Structures are given as structure tokens and as C-alpha cells.
Amino acid sequence: MSELRYDGQVVVVTGAGGGLGKQYALFFASRGASVVVNDLGGGLKGGGNSSRKTADIVVDEIKAAGGKAVANYDSVTNGDKIIETAIQNYGRIDILLNNAGILRDVSFKNMKDQDWDLIMDVHVKGSYKCARAAWPHFRKQKFGRVVNTASAAGLFGSFGQANYSAAKLAMVGFTETLAKEGAKYNIHANVIAPIAASRMTETVMPPDILAALKPDWIVPLVAVLVHKDSEENGAIFEAGGGHIAKLRWERSSGLLLKADDSYTPGAILKKWDSVSDFKTPEYPTGVADFMGLLEKSMEMGPNDK
Ligand code: NAD
């Protein structure tokens, strides 16, 4: 199979000064794309002294290898400026990788408003601002690819990460809606929950595990998802250490009762087991999937209270 190429395309990678973002930037530049390397060079917890250097180092590395790249040092909360860098330098934007991120880990008991707000700002508002600024360009050219970055912490919860978990699951709902709104314009959005060695994980995982989780190994999945020939849209993936899998919602067969005055706590309790009976599950993909159930309930007789 010939290698996937991105010639003539413009890729914006947020948080590309290190970790996963740097690997994305190097890869897409090596496969023919022009890359906007965004990073404000902040600390892991956000804030700290902004250093332009991290983005510059990546840009220099790309240029030394004969690739095309430009640095941008804005925070993702000013996503319009990042997209503007793509338009000013290359005249277009084709692929947006919303990757920038920080952590403010603290037990929920000790969490401060600032811990919550900063995480929401960088992950949720930052992803929104970049996608919102790219959107009119995507619609006009009838092509766009977005990959948003969630986390296992968002999908399953994680001790000390109530803020980060909330922001990361927000990426899933955000992506699902972009996928639905973008489909008819050939704009595809997918979301990944990566696991990789980076400054985010180096203090919480042992060295042998980290060695098996090179950030480079997230790149091939992202490369497939954003390729012009990819049909994938609105999907959730986990990836790390050579493993890739898709995740989806599963609904139990559930309890369906008549919704009238016989619909009481006692009526529910009598049949509680079927609420969490996953023997014959369904895999809903939209609100419409619920409406059939509603019609069935309306046709039923009164409940046993
Ligand atoms: P990293 O800390 O190495 O890289 C994140 C980059 O984002 C840094 O270079 C940082 O300077 C930049 N950044 C932070 N705030 C920014 C802002 N406001 N504007 C622009 N740039 C900003 O971390 P990483 O492991 O490469 O993480 C990349 C993404 O993957 C993050 O969204 C993270 O939450 C997510 N993630 C990582 C893992 C993992 O195992 N490494 C797991 C789950 C999710």
C-alpha cells in the first residue's frame, strides 16, 4: 500500500511544542503538509512563563528536514489567532488537531475554582475556539478534518481529576455534534483517548511502561482519521502502545413502563434488575433512537405498583 500523503494541505496542531503534538507536527510535515506549530510553552499546570522556544524548536526541526512549518505562540483560548496564522501563511486550513492540554490534579475535596476554570479554558474553550475559527473555511472548501483529544480519565473518571475528567468527556459530546453538523460538508470530526509517555504521564507511570508507550505510536491513528479518503466521522478511539480500539455507548435492554400515575418508585423497584440488564444491549447513536421507546411506552397498560 502506498504511504498516506497530505501534500498541499495545511495542518494546525495545538500544543505542538512537545509530547504528542510535536510528533503530529513532525509527521504531517514529513508527509507533505504545511504545519502551524502552536504552543505557548507553558508549564504542565498552565500559567508559568510563556516560552516561544518549544514551538520554534519544532519548526526548526521541520525546516531542517526540508518541510514547511510556522510557529504560533497564542493560547488556544485565542484559537482565532492560531487559525489566522494558517490563513496568513498558507491561505487555507484543512486539518485541525486540538491537542493542547494541561493538568491541575487535586482531590475534589481540595479543588479550587481556579483549578476547574483553567482546565475548562484550555481543553474545552480552547478546542471550541480553534474549531469555531476553522469552521467557515472548512464549510467553504467542503473539506475539513478535526481530531479532538479526550482521555480515559474523561470516559471512566480518575482519582484527583474531576476537572480534567469533566473537560475530557466534554470533548466527546463536542465531537459528536461537530460530526453531525459537518457531515454534509465533508467535515469529519473524531475524538481520541490517547495513552502515551509525556511530561503528563512521566511522574505517574514506571519507566518500563513509559518505554512501551511512545507518543509516536498515537500518530498513525490520527493520520488515518484525518486523511482525505477516510470516511470515519463521529467516532471515539482509544490508542496507545500499538493498540487501537473504538468505543461506543451501550444501552441495557432496560425497563419500559407505562408513563401514567402507575409509574411510581415502587413499580420501578419491582423490576429494577432489568434497568441494568445488558444481555441484549442496544448501541444508540442519537436522540432519535429514544423515540421508538417512547411510542412503545404509550401503548402499554398500567404498571403493577
Ligand atoms: P504535554 O504536556 O507533553 O503537551 C501538551 C502541550 O500543550 C504542551 O507543549 C503545552 O505547552 C501545550 N499547551 C498547554 N496549554 C496550552 C495553551 N493554552 N495553548 C497552547 N498550547 C498549550 O502533554 P501530552 O501528553 O502530549 O498531551 C497532549 C494531549 O493528550 C492533551 O490534551 C492531554 O490531555 C491528552 N492526553 C494525554 C495522555 C497521555 O497519556 N499523555 C492521556 C490522555 C490524554
Side-chain angles (χ1 to χ4, degrees):
M1 202 177 173
S2 61
E3 72 172 21
L4 297 187
R5 303 267 326 162
Y6 306 86
D7 299 290
Q9 292 190 302
V10 178
V11 183
V12 169
V13 187
T14 68
L20 303 180
K22 177 177 179 177
Q23 299 310 318
Y24 298 146
L26 295 176
F27 172 83
F28 285 103
S30 76
R31 295 289 178 100
S34 303
V35 179
V36 175
V37 178
N38 158 262
D39 208 299
L40 50 57
L44 180 59
K45 293 184 162 196
N49 281 340
S50 281
S51 136
R52 301 185 150 212
K53 273 205 202 109
T54 55
D56 290 340
I57 291 167
V58 177
V59 168
D60 289 348
E61 198 173 328
I62 288 172
K63 285 186 173 164
K68 284 171 265 166
V70 62
N72 169 286
Y73 317 105
D74 287 296
S75 167
V76 283
T77 53
N78 296 316
D80 37 344
K81 292 189 181 159
I82 303 173
I83 302 304
E84 196 47 41
T85 299
I87 302 303
Q88 271 171 8
N89 285 273
Y90 302 122
R92 56 187 296 123
I93 153 95
D94 299 283
I95 295 167
L96 169 64
L97 306 181
N98 273 326
N99 164 79
I102 56 168
L103 291 176
R104 303 276 297 190
D105 291 0
V106 56
S107 70
F108 193 52
K109 177 172 79 73
N110 295 323
M111 190 165 285
K112 308 244 181 329
D113 286 355
Q114 199 196 11
D115 299 319
W116 181 270
D117 293 343
L118 267 171
I119 288 289
M120 291 297 156
D121 267 3
V122 174
H123 294 274
V124 183
K125 189 164 185 196
S127 298
Y128 152 70
K129 288 290 280 184
C130 293
R132 183 65 189 86
W135 206 251
H137 301 283
F138 288 163
R139 278 178 54 122
K140 208 166 149 201
Q141 71 203 12
K142 293 211 165 30
F143 180 86
R145 295 285 183 269
V146 181
V147 169
N148 293 315
T149 310
S151 164
L155 299 170
F156 310 118
S158 170
F159 197 95
Q161 296 193 308
N163 49 358
Y164 184 74
S165 306
K168 286 309 199 182
L169 192 57
M171 290 297 95
V172 174
F174 179 53
T175 304
E176 301 290 1
T177 297
L178 293 191
K180 286 180 165 67
E181 290 193 17
K184 74 173 177 181
Y185 300 97
N186 190 19
I187 306 171
H188 296 173
N190 291 285
V191 58
I192 61 164
I195 176 146
S198 78
R199 67 180 189 176
M200 263 194 193
T201 45
E202 68 193 4
T203 54
V204 292
M205 287 184 194
D208 53 329
I209 302 280
L210 289 169
L213 293 172
K214 278 170 56 172
D216 323 34
W217 294 336
I218 308 300
V219 176
L221 166 65
V222 170
V224 168
L225 294 177
V226 302
H227 194 265
K228 61 180 169 35
D229 297 338
S230 170
E231 310 258 308
E232 200 65 69
N233 192 20
I236 312 166
F237 297 90
E238 60 182 13
H243 166 80
I244 296 169
K246 208 167 183 176
L247 287 95
R248 62 182 171 180
W249 292 106
E250 183 178 80
R251 181 198 278 147
S252 70
S253 50
L255 173 62
L256 186 64
L257 296 175
K258 175 83 176 168
D260 62 8
D261 58 6
S262 67
Y263 186 64
T264 61
I268 294 172
L269 199 56
K270 268 193 187 143
K271 298 188 171 170
W272 183 251
D273 282 354
S274 54
V275 172
S276 42
D277 178 356
F278 280 93
K279 280 200 289 289
T280 51
E282 289 170 20
Y283 301 98
T285 56
V287 186
D289 293 348
F290 182 76
M291 297 307 166
L293 294 177
L294 203 63
E295 279 163 25
K296 264 197 225 162
S297 155
M298 281 155 42
E299 289 159 10
M300 291 169 72
N303 305 303
D304 180 13
K305 289 199 231 178

